[in-house]
Amino acid sequence: MAEKIEIQQVDRQLLNALQEDGRISNQDLAERAAMSASACWRRVKALEEGGVIERYTALVNPEAVGLEFHAMVHVVLSRHQAGHVENFIQAVMTRPEVLDCFATTGDSDYHLRIRCRDLAAYNAFLEEFMFSLEGVSTVKTNLILRQLKHETRLVV
């Protein structure tokens, strides 16, 4: 990541527009921000290089592609040895079922948001992966019955 940049009002306009429509043309983006296309391109490039814009992506409807199972998984490690923690984190990072992984305070050490095909796929994830990780003491699953809000856009 490059040096940190100061976020100005024009940057907020650009970021809000890009979060609304990541496929917006540079010309349209420049018009929204009332700036020239070249200045807009330079500013977006600076936001990318400064690490403010991490990446561009398409949001996919999970149910439309057969990912019906959705759960929050709470993981407790048996011992907080550096090797166990590092191995757990590295292993979790490789699994496509894990959409989010948070290290937290409280009863659980980690909270994972999981998406997969169905209960059988989740059981395979548990048996073949989660329960085989050294240092994992407890795994608790909360099924997500319905998603009331899912937002990717940040208020900037």
Side-chain angles (χ1 to χ4, degrees), residues 69-74 111-112 122 140-145:
F69 187 89
H70 198 191
M72 293 298 293
V73 179
H74 313 277
H111 295 260
L112 286 66
Y122 180 65
K140 293 181 183 177
T141 303
N142 290 101
L143 298 181
I144 295 174
L145 300 176

Side-chain angles (χ1 to χ4, degrees), residues 67 87-101 112-117 120-133:
L67 300 175
N87 290 339
F88 175 81
I89 293 169
Q90 286 178 351
V92 163
M93 299 296 275
T94 68
R95 296 302 297 222
E97 303 93 338
V98 179
L99 300 180
D100 296 301
C101 178
L112 286 66
R113 188 167 65 91
I114 305 291
R115 271 280 188 184
C116 54
R117 274 187 334 277
Y122 180 65
N123 277 325
F125 169 80
L126 287 177
E127 296 292 334
E128 297 167 13
F129 173 69
M130 191 62 66
F131 295 151
S132 70
L133 293 174

Side-chain angles (χ1 to χ4, degrees), residues 1-7 15 43-56 154 156:
M1 180 157 80
E3 69 182 60
K4 199 167 191 169
I5 63 172
E6 182 181 332
I7 303 298
L15 292 168
R43 201 65 205 159
V44 170
K45 190 76 172 153
L47 292 168
E48 292 168 349
E49 290 173 356
V52 176
I53 297 174
E54 292 181 345
R55 65 182 172 165
Y56 297 91
L154 300 175
V156 293

Side-chain angles (χ1 to χ4, degrees), residues 2-156:
E3 69 182 60
K4 199 167 191 169
I5 63 172
E6 182 181 332
I7 303 298
Q8 300 171 3
Q9 184 57 35
V10 68
D11 299 321
R12 294 179 200 293
Q13 290 176 302
L14 295 172
L15 292 168
N16 286 326
L18 285 168
Q19 287 183 101
E20 185 178 315
D21 179 6
R23 293 175 49 153
I24 190 171
S25 71
N26 184 65
Q27 182 63 43
D28 290 343
L29 184 60
E31 287 175 16
R32 276 206 193 171
M35 58 194 314
S36 72
S38 59
C40 178
W41 182 87
R42 285 191 302 274
R43 201 65 205 159
V44 170
K45 190 76 172 153
L47 292 168
E48 292 168 349
E49 290 173 356
V52 176
I53 297 174
E54 292 181 345
R55 65 182 172 165
Y56 297 91
T57 189
L59 298 178
V60 176
N61 179 325
E63 288 87 9
V65 295
L67 300 175
E68 300 289 333
F69 187 89
H70 198 191
M72 293 298 293
V73 179
H74 313 277
V75 180
V76 177
L77 299 184
S78 59
R79 288 180 273 167
H80 293 276
Q81 295 175 336
H84 288 162
V85 172
E86 291 169 13
N87 290 339
F88 175 81
I89 293 169
Q90 286 178 351
V92 163
M93 299 296 275
T94 68
R95 296 302 297 222
E97 303 93 338
V98 179
L99 300 180
D100 296 301
C101 178
F102 303 98
T104 63
T105 61
D107 294 335
S108 299
D109 298 313
Y110 297 93
H111 295 260
L112 286 66
R113 188 167 65 91
I114 305 291
R115 271 280 188 184
C116 54
R117 274 187 334 277
D118 52 25
L119 184 57
Y122 180 65
N123 277 325
F125 169 80
L126 287 177
E127 296 292 334
E128 297 167 13
F129 173 69
M130 191 62 66
F131 295 151
S132 70
L133 293 174
E134 190 175 354
V136 171
S137 171
T138 307
V139 176
K140 293 181 183 177
T141 303
N142 290 101
L143 298 181
I144 295 174
L145 300 176
R146 64 187 171 128
Q147 190 166 307
L148 302 174
K149 181 177 181 180
H150 174 68
E151 185 60 61
T152 61
R153 192 181 327 187
L154 300 175
V155 176
V156 293

